[in-house]
Amino acid sequence: MTDILLRGGRLLDPSTNLDAVGDLLIRDGKIESVGGKIAGPDGATIVDCTGQVVSPGFIDVHCHLREPGREDVETIATGARAAAAGGFTAVCAMPNTDPVTDNQAAVGFVLKQGRAANAARVYPIGAISIGQKGEQLAEFGEMVGAGAVAVSDDGKPVVSAQLMRTALEYARTFGIPVADHCEDPTLAHGGAMNEGLVSARLGLKGIPSEAEEIMAIRDILLAKRTGGHVHLCHMSTRGSVDLIRWGKDRHIRVTAEVCPHHISLTENEVEGYDTNAKMNPPLRTADDVLALQEAVKDGTIDVIATDHAPHHYDEKEREFSDAPNGIIGLETALAVNITWLVQPGIISVATLIDKMACAPAKLFHLPGGNLRRGTEADITVFDPTAQWVIDPKAFKTKGRNTPYGGRTLTGRVSCTLVGGRIVHSIMG
Amino acid sequence: MGRAAYFTFDMTPAPTSVVLSARAFERTITRMADEIIERNDGTDRLLLVGIQRRGVQIAARIAALITARESVEVPLGALDITLYRDDLQTVGPRPVVGKTHLPVAIEGLNVVIVDDVLFTGRTIRAALDELADFGRPARVSLAVLVDRGGRELPIQPDVVGKHVEVPIGSRVDVCVAELDGKDEVLLVATEAL
Amino acid sequence: MTSPLGKDLLGLEHLTAEQINLILDTAEPLREISERTIKKVPTLRGATIVNLFFEASTRTRISFEFAEKRMSADTVNVAPAASSVSKGETLVDTARNLEAMRIDMVVIRHGSSGAARFLAERIESNVINAGDGTHEHPTQGLLDMLTLRQKFGSLVGKKICICGDVLHSRVARSNIWGLTKLGAEVAVCGPRSLLPNAIHEMGVQVFDRIEQAIEWADALNILRLQLERMQAGYIPSLREYNRVFGVTRERLERAPRDLLILHPGPMNRGVEIDSDVADGPHSVILEQVTNGVAVRMAVLYLLAGNSPRLAEAAKGGA
């Protein structure tokens, strides 16, 4: 394996308070030395990183890679390549596949396909309940033994409070977070977008904020009762933010994620019945967007995760109420976050790296998330000022379902390294 | 179409000549009323139908003259031929649809269609088609205040107020007191020759 | 040149007062055509119109069909049961197939909000929304306004209350947009469980009691209460609905003025409206039906001005 020297970039690792222009040398897949001027060893590949940020590789704790079951929509290989193109050196695959990842064999399959993809690392998340049916607990121990990093019934909420309580208690043995998709199914039933003036005007059934918030506070209270670690997926409302803050103030083990689309877009995107603006939880109001941006800044929200959810073109090219939920996100996440959080001055690039790399590694106990000497060289090089026009046709993911198509965004991944190997580069 | 435009707002008025003054207008209409009575053997079973818009006022004028002379009420109707136009299927703003009203069943009546200007004949073609949808009159005849020639269909008037030779680049404007403030027929040059 | 209405009629929310008045002014003289011996004008001769009804509808489809035939258009009715829609064909494929057969207009009724717009954005033909989900039913709104305008002269300052299941009603939405644009004051009245949460943001007043609505209004537009709403748990029973919200003669007799009574039909007599109100002297329900044909003729006439295919045919065949 050849040595790689990243020369002259802004080395930025909030986990070690590193923020300095300098070189970074990779040898044998590991970070050999960081900072200062480093002389390139003979035969080393030298990458000029002038004007670029050299960051710990991004880690996405929430994506849907569709394999097994819907390989026509995405495979673990195409998903892992899309992740690499988006600067992610590792992604966590949600278990709502067909069949569901609810046993050690299924977990092993995801790991095997991930390794074969040879792009971003793929970590499986196991199901909370067998078949995600919300009835019987899946075998957390065996799944963790096989490589699962968390459990979740994402795509669906854990409806039974008793099951959620048990999951939080049982997960403590294995030290994994229980990630919940917060949605009261009776309130959200049949809903296609946020409930409010826009849904009333468009004649679409709304999903009230309370559908999320009721489940969020239930989970927080159960975490308080059990001492388990609850991770709240894709938070979308001001109310949820307030509830998480309430929980954190009381030192309850609650962590939370937000998606790039929820800190950038509002329910107005649905105007014109654009199915690429349909996802669950739905795009909310401008006030919710403000609250979520503020929560990223003040730490109430721990991580930014994509909820990357590819769908077939034909499934989205139809009546709004019949179209499936979800948008792709791996290849736009950095640009959306920079455009809507960093550029307006809400957070710094360093804080963004914390939300996209350091905190995910810490919360899900994953390797990476730092630029320390001796660690695996999972590194993302990006240009925080590059402007580019989003062209879904150029994406590595099979999905094309994004509301950002045609927009000019700022911030672009230049090069992604996994284990010291360049898995994506546009640096010529 | 033979429908004339009635107002011009040019800052420099085009050379205009008067075809019928108010008094000549009155005399002409009176003569037309007489001819209509004669041609239809009196006023029994007579129905006057004006074509929207100025044909309606002229028909009303004629009806009043007949009433004054014969002491009978002549039924008076109005036809809007917009929906029967043969140039509708071209892209453009839809013409405004006016009111169509026939006060009696036209079956067996002597219907006199009244219009202001007869030009290509296309309006009258449309009016005949429309009338046919209301029933089968005994006879249909045509009375026009001005015949300016230039027919594009085999249609001829039965009663004419005034024949007017219209040079290329000119048009005939008919004004009626009810809509335009005074009775008058003008020959207006639309472009400098 | 384009039609002053644009290519399609999808709803009243985005029309101007001028455009709405143009439709109503055009509809007014067209009422007379239905009184003739031969109830037909040649205006749309040669135009082909497809009535694409994904939802069962007798009243609206018949009204459109009369309007189309009285304008001399050739019409084809497509219902899901008789078409390949039931074989799983998508809406967009169905539409493209129809268009490949050289049609000029599509009248669409569909259970999904936004379906008419979805279609309009994907085909060249004019699209008329005959009701999409719980979004809009513009021609119903227009015929309600034509009826009210005939009775009131002008709608400016008139007080119209829409009663019943506003949450699921496309008629209500079209009425709210159209009436407010023409200067009327609009209120809604019904159980809060059947009103959108954000209703007050749509520029209307809300009455919780039907008695208040009757005291306030010049006209009531009473919506049909679907039996399914009870099954879905929005209200406890039809019986109680009638007792609390039903428009009855006794309630109307206490009103300070005579109220016009409108209903888009079909009526549930004894639920939202009592028979002696529906058949009473102030009911204009049958005039609404008559006006429905005239309004739809007007819309067909005005939109046909923007059909590229008709224009091409005219150029070639002149």
Side-chain angles (χ1 to χ4, degrees):
Chain A
M1 200 173 221
T2 55
D3 297 344
I4 298 175
L5 181 67
L6 303 179
R7 176 166 281 169
R10 180 182 172 197
L11 305 169
L12 198 42
D13 175 9
S15 75
T16 57
N17 289 320
L18 169 65
D19 184 357
V21 173
D23 303 343
L24 185 150
L25 179 66
I26 298 160
R27 174 162 290 167
D28 296 329
K30 293 191 164 43
I31 297 173
E32 171 79 9
S33 57
V34 192
K37 276 202 98 55
I38 302 170
D42 287 348
T45 307
I46 295 175
V47 181
D48 179 11
C49 294
T50 311
Q52 309 271 339
V53 173
V54 177
S55 155
F58 303 151
I59 299 171
D60 186 11
V61 297
H62 190 149
C63 68
H64 300 273
L65 300 185
R66 304 298 188 213
E67 183 181 356
R70 285 303 302 272
E71 291 83 354
D72 59 323
V73 169
E74 192 85 291
T75 63
I76 290 173
T78 58
R81 285 199 281 275
F88 292 96
T89 53
V91 295
C92 300
M94 279 295 176
N96 61 333
T97 47
D98 183 17
V100 171
T101 313
D102 61 0
N103 60 73
Q104 58 176 336
V107 167
F109 172 79
V110 174
L111 274 180
K112 181 175 82 77
Q113 295 295 81
R115 265 184 233 112
N118 217 10
R121 303 174 198 273
V122 177
Y123 298 115
I125 293 176
I128 291 172
S129 64
I130 291 173
Q132 291 191 314
K133 289 199 171 80
E135 290 158 6
Q136 196 186 339
L137 219 54
E139 292 164 333
F140 293 6
E142 297 211 330
M143 292 193 294
V144 169
V149 298
V151 288
S152 178
D153 272 357
D154 184 70
K156 294 177 192 167
V158 177
V159 177
S160 157
Q162 174 58 29
L163 183 73
M164 190 64 189
R165 174 193 173 148
T166 313
L168 283 165
E169 289 171 333
Y170 191 66
R172 289 192 67 175
T173 304
F174 311 102
I176 51 167
V178 177
D180 194 23
H181 165 124
C182 295
E183 177 183 351
D184 180 305
T186 59
L187 278 176
H189 179 74
M193 67 172 298
N194 182 48
E195 178 172 329
L197 178 60
V198 181
S199 70
R201 283 179 38 238
L202 296 180
L204 291 171
K205 188 159 188 315
I207 301 173
S209 310
E210 291 76 12
E212 173 173 303
E213 291 153 6
I214 285 168
M215 283 305 220
I217 191 61
R218 183 204 71 173
D219 287 353
I220 292 167
L221 292 171
L222 290 174
K224 174 167 175 270
R225 163 64 56 185
T226 61
H229 173 191
V230 70
H231 177 76
L232 304 180
C233 299
H234 44 55
M235 290 288 99
S236 70
T237 77
R238 176 178 285 278
S240 295
V241 167
D242 289 342
L243 295 168
I244 296 160
R245 211 169 269 141
W246 180 91
K248 289 193 165 184
D249 285 348
R250 282 156 188 76
H251 308 291
I252 297 167
R253 291 180 70 201
V254 54
T255 58
E257 77 192 27
V258 71
C259 303
H261 44 274
H262 286 129
I263 53 90
S264 57
L265 305 177
T266 69
E267 57 183 352
N268 292 330
E269 296 296 317
V270 179
E271 199 82 45
Y273 301 94
D274 181 1
T275 57
N276 284 331
K278 184 177 179 185
M279 69 282 289
N280 188 17
L283 296 174
R284 304 284 187 182
T285 66
D287 180 61
D288 291 305
V289 170
L290 281 177
L292 291 164
Q293 291 176 340
E294 187 57 34
V296 171
K297 181 183 179 182
D298 72 15
T300 306
I301 296 284
D302 303 273
V303 305
I304 302 175
T306 66
D307 197 7
H308 175 79
H311 288 289
H312 197 276
Y313 174 80
D314 290 338
E315 292 173 319
K316 280 284 195 182
E317 174 71 359
R318 59 177 314 164
E319 303 88 300
F320 194 87
S321 52
D322 296 339
N325 285 308
I327 64 166
I328 54 173
L330 287 170
E331 287 162 89
T332 50
L334 176 74
V336 171
N337 292 339
I338 287 181
T339 305
W340 273 277
L341 292 173
V342 177
Q343 273 203 315
I346 297 165
I347 61 170
S348 63
V349 175
T351 303
L352 180 62
I353 291 171
D354 178 52
K355 303 294 175 187
M356 294 184 74
C358 310
K362 198 167 133 233
L363 298 184
F364 280 58
H365 315 296
L366 304 173
N370 65 74
L371 294 179
R372 282 199 189 87
R373 186 162 182 265
T375 57
E376 290 278 333
D378 286 8
I379 293 170
T380 301
V381 179
F382 64 91
D383 181 343
T385 57
Q387 297 206 325
W388 57 299
V389 179
I390 304 295
D391 175 15
K393 283 200 280 295
F395 283 166
K396 298 279 191 286
T397 171
K398 289 191 182 183
R400 298 290 175 261
N401 46 309
T402 173
Y404 299 105
R407 296 192 199 219
T408 302
L409 303 186
T410 303
R412 188 167 198 186
V413 174
S414 305
C415 183
T416 309
L417 297 97
V418 174
R421 205 171 53 81
I422 294 172
V423 292
H424 167 80
S425 176
I426 55 166
M427 296 178 89
Chain B
M1 300 293 290
R3 319 306 307 264
Y6 299 98
F7 295 101
T8 52
F9 293 101
D10 295 344
M11 293 310 291
T12 51
T16 296
S17 60
V18 178
V19 176
L20 290 176
S21 64
R23 290 183 57 192
F25 192 108
E26 183 68 27
R27 277 198 304 275
T28 306
I29 286 209
T30 309
R31 179 175 54 72
M32 286 173 71
D34 289 344
E35 274 188 50
I36 287 169
I37 301 168
E38 264 174 40
R39 289 185 60 89
N40 290 282
D41 303 323
T43 57
D44 292 348
R45 309 201 308 168
L46 187 62
L47 168 64
L48 297 185
V49 178
I51 293 181
Q52 295 279 20
R53 294 186 62 187
R54 282 164 183 72
V56 174
Q57 283 76 37
I58 295 168
R61 223 58 95 63
I62 292 172
L65 288 167
I66 294 174
T67 301
R69 173 154 312 186
E70 304 280 316
S71 305
V72 288
E73 281 290 332
V74 181
L76 181 64
L79 271 191
D80 182 278
I81 57 88
T82 307
L83 298 171
Y84 289 74
R85 282 170 65 157
D86 60 7
D87 60 348
L88 273 179
Q89 299 189 349
T90 52
V91 174
R94 304 286 75 190
V96 174
V97 181
K99 202 175 157 195
T100 289
H101 172 69
L102 296 181
V104 291
I106 65 172
E107 212 66 36
L109 297 188
N110 295 331
V111 177
V112 180
I113 297 173
V114 181
D115 205 358
D116 52 357
V117 178
L118 178 61
F119 182 22
T120 62
R122 288 177 190 271
T123 300
I124 304 305
R125 193 281 308 162
L128 289 169
D129 283 355
E130 183 163 16
L131 263 189
D133 287 349
F134 284 84
R136 186 174 184 277
R139 183 199 298 166
V140 182
S141 54
L142 174 62
V144 295
L145 182 63
V146 173
D147 179 357
R148 58 159 292 183
R151 222 73 80 232
E152 292 170 1
L153 291 172
I155 282 169
Q156 298 306 330
D158 301 285
V159 175
V160 179
K162 177 98 178 164
H163 289 278
V164 179
E165 282 296 320
V166 180
I168 291 166
S170 293
R171 63 162 200 269
V172 177
D173 283 4
V174 172
C175 304
V176 293
E178 295 89 329
L179 299 174
D180 311 304
K182 64 172 175 175
D183 294 336
E184 198 169 44
V185 177
L186 303 173
L187 188 60
V188 181
T190 52
E191 53 197 78
L193 288 173
Chain C
M1 285 234 210
T2 52
S3 148
L5 291 188
K7 179 172 92 71
D8 314 295
L9 179 69
L10 304 179
L12 301 187
E13 184 181 357
H14 300 293
L15 292 191
T16 62
E18 289 69 34
Q19 288 171 315
I20 291 172
N21 275 320
L22 172 67
I23 299 171
L24 299 183
D25 292 344
T26 305
E28 201 84 54
L30 296 182
R31 280 161 54 99
E32 171 269 327
I33 291 165
S34 300
E35 311 295 328
R36 299 183 185 179
T37 315
I38 296 173
K39 300 174 183 57
K40 211 176 186 57
V41 293
T43 316
L44 291 183
R45 211 159 44 135
T48 313
I49 302 179
V50 173
N51 297 316
L52 187 56
F53 276 62
F54 291 86
E55 268 188 349
S57 152
T58 309
R59 183 176 297 249
T60 303
R61 187 181 53 72
I62 289 178
S63 181
F64 266 108
E65 215 177 325
F66 272 134
E68 291 153 3
K69 290 188 164 154
R70 284 174 193 176
M71 302 293 272
S72 294
D74 295 316
T75 69
V76 177
N77 292 319
V78 182
S83 76
S84 40
V85 172
S86 51
K87 294 176 200 154
E89 188 174 72
T90 64
L91 175 56
V92 70
D93 283 338
T94 303
R96 287 194 182 129
N97 278 305
L98 289 169
E99 191 161 66
M101 290 181 240
R102 296 284 173 269
I103 58 164
D104 299 288
M105 292 193 187
V106 181
V107 176
I108 179 176
R109 159 70 62 96
H110 197 287
S112 289
S113 300
R117 177 172 174 151
F118 179 91
L119 189 65
E121 286 171 350
R122 281 158 184 80
I123 65 175
E124 261 185 55
S125 316
N126 305 112
V127 173
I128 300 173
N129 183 5
D132 63 327
T134 57
H135 176 224
E136 282 221 46
H137 189 354
T139 56
Q140 177 72 44
L142 289 164
L143 74 89
D144 291 343
M145 279 185 274
L146 182 61
T147 308
L148 288 165
R149 212 178 71 158
Q150 278 162 355
K151 295 291 170 184
F152 290 142
S154 160
L155 290 176
V156 175
K158 289 293 175 214
K159 295 173 173 160
I160 321 292
C161 186
I162 302 162
C163 307
D165 182 5
V166 175
L167 183 63
H168 299 100
S169 175
R170 48 196 172 210
V171 177
R173 284 169 179 76
S174 290
N175 262 272
I176 289 170
W177 303 130
L179 288 168
T180 49
K181 279 173 206 280
L182 294 196
E185 288 180 45
V186 181
V188 298
C189 175
R192 292 281 178 159
S193 53
L194 289 176
L195 302 180
N197 235 219
I199 185 72
H200 55 278
E201 293 175 60
M202 293 170 82
V204 302
Q205 281 194 65
V206 181
F207 292 113
D208 283 308
R209 308 292 308 204
I210 189 74
E211 293 83 358
Q212 299 169 321
I214 288 171
E215 198 185 319
W216 174 85
D218 297 310
L220 299 182
N221 196 349
I222 304 162
L223 303 172
R224 172 181 166 77
L225 186 79
Q226 311 264 11
L227 189 63
E228 304 93 270
R229 303 300 168 230
M230 192 186 84
Q231 289 151 349
Y234 287 97
I235 52 164
S237 70
L238 298 181
R239 198 183 63 88
E240 178 161 296
Y241 184 88
N242 179 251
R243 290 183 58 152
V244 182
F245 291 100
V247 179
T248 62
R249 190 169 47 113
E250 293 70 34
R251 285 187 168 131
L252 287 179
E253 275 168 358
R254 272 181 245 122
R257 63 190 83 79
D258 289 335
L259 274 73
L260 285 186
I261 301 296
L262 293 87
H263 192 298
M267 287 183 279
N268 294 310
R269 290 169 184 262
V271 182
E272 72 269 7
I273 186 168
D274 278 5
S275 281
D276 44 8
V277 174
D279 306 332
H282 304 298
S283 163
V284 289
I285 295 170
L286 293 176
E287 287 166 78
Q288 287 175 271
V289 178
T290 308
N291 282 334
V293 178
V295 154
R296 289 173 179 122
M297 288 171 75
V299 169
L300 293 169
Y301 169 70
L302 293 168
L303 284 188
N306 201 27
S307 171
R309 189 161 297 129
L310 282 180
E312 230 171 81
K315 256 182 269 158

